Amino acid sequence: MDSIIQALGILVTFENLGLLAIGTAVGIFVGAMPGLSVNMGLALLFPITFSVGGWHGIIMLLGIYCGAIYGGSITAILLKTPGTPASAATTLDGYPMARGGQPGRALAISTTASTFGGIFSTVCLVLFAPMLAKIALQFSKPEYFALAIFGISMITSVAPGSILKGIIGCLVGLWIATIGLDPMSGMERFTFGTLYLSGGISFMPILIGLFALTQVFINAEEMYHRSTSTQRITIDSVYPKCDDMKLISPTLVRSSAIGTFIGCVPGTGGDISSWICYNQAKTWAKDKSKFGKGDPRGIAASESGNNSIVGGAFIPVLTLGIPGDGATAIILGALMVHGIQPGPLLFMNHAVDVYTVFLGLMIANFVMGFFGFSLIRLFSKVTMIPMVLLLPIISVMAVIGTYSYANSMQDVYIMFAAGVIGYFMYKFDMGVPGVIIGIILGKLAEQNFTGSLMMSDGSLSIFVTSPICCIFLILALVGLLSPLYKDSVRRIFAK
């Protein structure tokens, strides 16, 4: 109790609360800007921790971390342009709801889910950190491969149209993930002799192209064929309705628990968590036909899933000194710079420091929720901007965000190519989510599959000797076959 009181004494000062609020606001802005990822925002503002010194800088980084993951949902919902990869799944139901005249409702559900997921994972961090860290330690290359296969298997659930077309899109994504140097042998694959492709294709340009630029092309075509008028939106309330809360409550708890567990596994992140949680929400739903058309459960699953990795990712950081993702690696560096050495002895020798991080994350999530609910009316005004003005703005943001990601014009060309391909995929009703899932999980699956074979001298038995590995592979097989089984049964009864 004394440690908690001392930690509160560190946090609850005008200066620290102000820096936490500033960091959260900056994080929301960074997350909402396409191309400015969570890691980029933390890296750019990391030097500030040296100037402000002590806990001030670390508290600011905690605010940026929480705010940036939430911020990505704002443009994902309003413009179908995910600010961060972790919000890509939010576009599937968030954008249809916003375009259907309910942007305030979509943002309210997103803010509620993000805040709930962040607080849930922080509570789990406080209660179960040592235990979850021990489970995470059981993950080696075979378990990571099985986790990636389980994630890929969800394409049968998130594919908006034909399952076959969704699988084809996923195979395209897997192929894109293989472009570049082989991680084990160093051989070039599909590089066509270019230096740029030898490093692989960056994920961010493809993400911006497939979502932002494709939507620009689609809206421009609609404007050409028929005149579009701006719809004046009236927002009755900035908070979710009771019916929505009743509908999404089971999804919030389930997705937050999944996201917390995925977050505590080093090497994963919010982009993987959001897709898995979205898939699980659709799997558990009795009426799956509403998903992809503005279902509140789709928004809640994605946003609670990606925000709940925040607390989970700190579990291996504080207990083992192992960063769960790139963002926590930066924060780990900040802790070590300021003389805080994470590890098993941290909880015994520096309990005040541990509780300061715990409470800092908790307060940051509350501040994030406060900003989110307070600014929903302002965010929603984006939908009132005429398309003739909005489309050029989105295009410029896409170009600037893509170029700033790696200061490369080649990335801009890739973004334009992805936008054109995404437009034709939309025309042929081929699911873009499949491509994104393939790219995200392709490298993870390949690297760990090759590494597993090296560990076992080429024997595939390594994938069935681990209980965790077997569970994920069985779940993947069930996930792949169940939609095909249901489809065949439906056809039999239809005849």
Side-chain angles (χ1 to χ4, degrees):
M1 182 61 73
D2 291 339
S3 300
I4 297 176
I5 294 173
Q6 292 180 47
L8 279 173
I10 294 173
L11 283 169
V12 185
T13 64
F14 179 79
E15 187 176 10
N16 281 338
L17 290 178
L19 287 171
L20 184 65
I22 292 172
T24 306
V26 170
I28 292 174
F29 173 78
V30 168
M33 292 296 292
L36 298 182
S37 63
V38 179
N39 295 356
M40 186 182 296
L42 288 169
L44 291 174
L45 296 170
F46 179 75
I48 296 178
T49 63
F50 296 102
S51 59
V52 295
W55 275 105
H56 304 326
I58 296 173
I59 288 170
M60 194 173 183
L61 289 177
L62 295 177
I64 295 170
Y65 187 25
C66 295
I69 296 178
Y70 161 71
S73 67
I74 298 171
T75 45
I77 290 171
L78 299 178
L79 306 175
K80 202 179 180 180
T81 308
T84 62
S87 297
T90 308
T91 62
L92 300 182
D93 285 286
Y95 184 72
M97 185 181 288
R99 197 168 185 185
Q102 297 178 305
R105 181 189 178 199
L107 289 170
I109 294 171
S110 167
T111 304
T112 301
S114 298
T115 306
F116 181 88
I119 294 173
F120 181 95
S121 66
T122 305
V123 172
C124 290
L125 172 65
V126 175
L127 298 178
F128 309 116
M131 183 178 67
L132 289 176
K134 289 180 181 179
I135 297 175
L137 275 178
Q138 303 300 316
F139 275 68
S140 59
K141 292 187 180 297
E143 286 76 18
Y144 280 118
F145 169 73
L147 176 63
I149 294 299
F150 171 65
I152 292 171
S153 70
M154 76 179 71
I155 186 58
T156 56
S157 295
V158 302
S162 166
I163 294 176
L164 179 60
K165 291 180 179 179
I167 293 174
I168 292 173
C170 186
L171 291 175
V172 171
L174 291 172
W175 170 71
I176 293 174
T178 64
I179 295 175
L181 299 178
D182 186 289
M184 295 297 174
S185 66
M187 293 180 61
E188 293 186 354
R189 302 177 301 188
F190 310 112
T191 61
F192 304 101
T194 61
L195 183 62
Y196 172 74
L197 291 179
S198 64
I201 298 178
S202 300
F203 173 59
M204 188 60 74
I206 296 177
L207 180 73
I208 294 175
L210 287 177
F211 283 99
L213 208 60
T214 294
Q215 195 61 40
V216 168
F217 293 151
I218 293 170
N219 289 339
E221 182 185 28
E222 291 178 355
M223 287 179 60
Y224 178 77
H225 289 297
R226 59 183 175 83
S227 60
T228 57
S229 57
T230 19
Q231 180 181 5
R232 186 165 186 84
I233 304 296
T234 302
I235 299 177
D236 298 328
S237 174
V238 296
Y239 303 104
K241 298 178 180 178
C242 292
D243 291 341
D244 285 337
M245 287 301 302
K246 184 178 179 181
L247 179 65
I248 67 174
S249 292
T251 303
L252 289 177
V253 176
R254 181 175 56 250
S255 298
S256 297
I258 294 172
T260 301
F261 175 74
I262 292 176
C264 76
V265 178
T268 56
D271 42 359
I272 297 175
S273 175
S274 61
W275 286 109
I276 291 178
C277 291
Y278 184 89
N279 170 64
Q280 290 302 306
K282 193 173 181 180
T283 300
W284 283 83
K286 294 182 179 179
D287 183 10
K288 299 176 176 58
S289 61
K290 296 181 180 179
F291 279 81
K293 301 176 183 178
D295 195 307
R297 292 168 294 183
I299 303 172
S302 172
E303 286 305 304
S304 58
N306 61 36
N307 280 269
S308 59
I309 66 128
V310 173
F314 271 91
I315 291 173
V317 169
L318 296 177
T319 58
L320 306 171
I322 301 173
D325 57 7
T328 49
I330 297 172
I331 297 177
L332 174 62
L335 290 171
M336 295 176 69
V337 165
H338 294 292
I340 302 170
Q341 181 61 53
L345 296 178
L346 181 65
F347 287 77
M348 297 176 58
N349 300 334
H350 301 279
V352 176
D353 296 333
V354 173
Y355 282 109
T356 302
V357 174
F358 288 169
L359 295 174
L361 283 173
M362 185 72 72
I363 296 173
N365 280 290
F366 279 109
V367 172
M368 177 194 73
F370 172 77
F371 280 143
F373 288 119
S374 301
L375 299 175
I376 281 177
R377 296 184 188 278
L378 178 63
F379 295 152
S380 300
K381 292 187 181 298
V382 172
T383 59
M384 298 172 60
I385 301 175
M387 278 292 174
V388 69
L389 297 178
L390 189 59
L391 295 186
I393 293 173
I394 296 174
S395 301
V396 171
M397 286 174 58
V399 172
I400 293 175
T402 302
Y403 181 79
S404 64
Y405 182 70
N407 295 329
S408 171
M409 277 304 299
Q410 284 87 347
D411 284 350
V412 178
Y413 302 147
I414 292 292
M415 184 266 294
F416 273 107
V420 174
I421 293 172
Y423 171 79
F424 285 105
M425 290 182 67
Y426 172 82
K427 287 296 181 182
F428 289 101
D429 196 27
M430 292 186 66
V432 169
V435 180
I436 300 300
I437 291 171
I439 296 173
I440 291 174
L441 297 175
K443 290 185 178 179
L444 181 66
E446 181 195 11
Q447 291 174 2
N448 289 287
F449 178 74
T450 310
S452 300
L453 293 181
M454 293 179 66
M455 289 170 58
S456 63
D457 294 327
S459 174
L460 294 174
S461 62
I462 192 172
F463 298 112
V464 295
T465 54
S466 166
I468 297 176
C469 193
C470 287
I471 290 172
F472 277 123
L473 290 177
I474 291 171
L475 289 174
L477 184 63
V478 172
L480 283 171
L481 296 180
S482 59
L484 300 176
Y485 171 76
K486 292 177 182 177
D487 187 53
S488 62
V489 171
R490 193 182 299 114
R491 288 180 180 178
I492 290 172
F493 280 101
K495 293 179 180 180

